[in-house]
Amino acid sequence: MGTCHQLRLLHHRADDRIDFSFNDTAGLARDARAGLYEVIKRFIGVETVPNYALMIFVSALALIANAFSLIILQRTRSKEAHIQASIIFSSNDVIINLGVIAAGLLVMWLGTQIPDLVIGSIVFCIVISGAIRILSLAKK
């Protein structure tokens, strides 16, 4: 989950409000369907045990980058909508990175894909929750 990729949904206007167009909402729905598809596909057994070493390595790198981004954003203490949206996504990214690292460790210890599936489902819920929080910023 890249903060920059997720922020493509946002358009910052001069009055510091977030404007969502129909295409942005359709893109959000498309991304949600894609995430749900991945979770279902993995639960029904199409995927094998994931590469836990790669999961942990990539998530650890992403955690470092996302944590630094979050620290920088929080130091601005800005109440501007686009900064608040970035903080929401960055904090979600940090939580998700920690979850993926935990899933990787559990996959390694248990030798099953179940932890990845459970954490993947939780990640899906976190992403949807973040999107809803961002949409609520748009209504203010």
Side-chain angles (χ1 to χ4, degrees):
M1 307 289 157
T3 301
C4 293
H5 170 72
Q6 292 164 335
L7 289 177
R8 71 180 167 74
L9 298 174
L10 304 178
H11 299 285
H12 183 251
R13 295 191 319 199
D15 65 352
D16 193 37
R17 292 182 60 206
I18 299 172
D19 179 31
F20 284 90
S21 69
F22 173 77
N23 290 333
D24 297 329
T25 306
L28 178 62
R30 182 190 63 244
D31 292 347
R33 283 193 311 268
L36 184 59
Y37 169 76
E38 284 299 316
V39 169
I40 291 170
K41 181 176 83 168
R42 291 177 184 181
F43 264 110
I44 62 173
V46 176
E47 297 285 325
T48 59
V49 175
N51 182 341
Y52 58 82
L54 185 60
M55 287 172 63
I56 295 168
F57 177 73
V58 171
S59 291
L61 292 177
L63 176 61
I64 293 166
N66 288 323
F68 278 123
S69 296
L70 183 58
I71 289 167
I72 291 167
L73 288 166
Q74 287 178 333
R75 284 187 179 170
T76 66
R77 301 196 192 288
S78 173
K79 297 298 179 195
E80 296 176 20
H82 68 288
I83 298 294
Q84 292 302 308
S86 296
I87 289 172
I88 290 169
F89 279 122
S90 292
S91 61
N92 284 351
D93 286 346
V94 167
I95 293 166
I96 289 166
N97 293 140
L98 291 169
V100 172
I101 291 169
L105 291 170
L106 289 169
V107 166
M108 178 180 67
W109 289 325
L110 300 175
T112 178
Q113 67 183 15
I114 299 298
D116 183 45
L117 299 174
V118 171
I119 301 285
S121 299
I122 294 168
V123 163
F124 178 75
C125 294
I126 290 170
V127 170
I128 295 301
S129 172
I132 291 168
R133 288 172 59 198
I134 295 297
L135 287 171
S136 71
L137 283 175
K139 293 178 182 177
K140 290 182 180 181

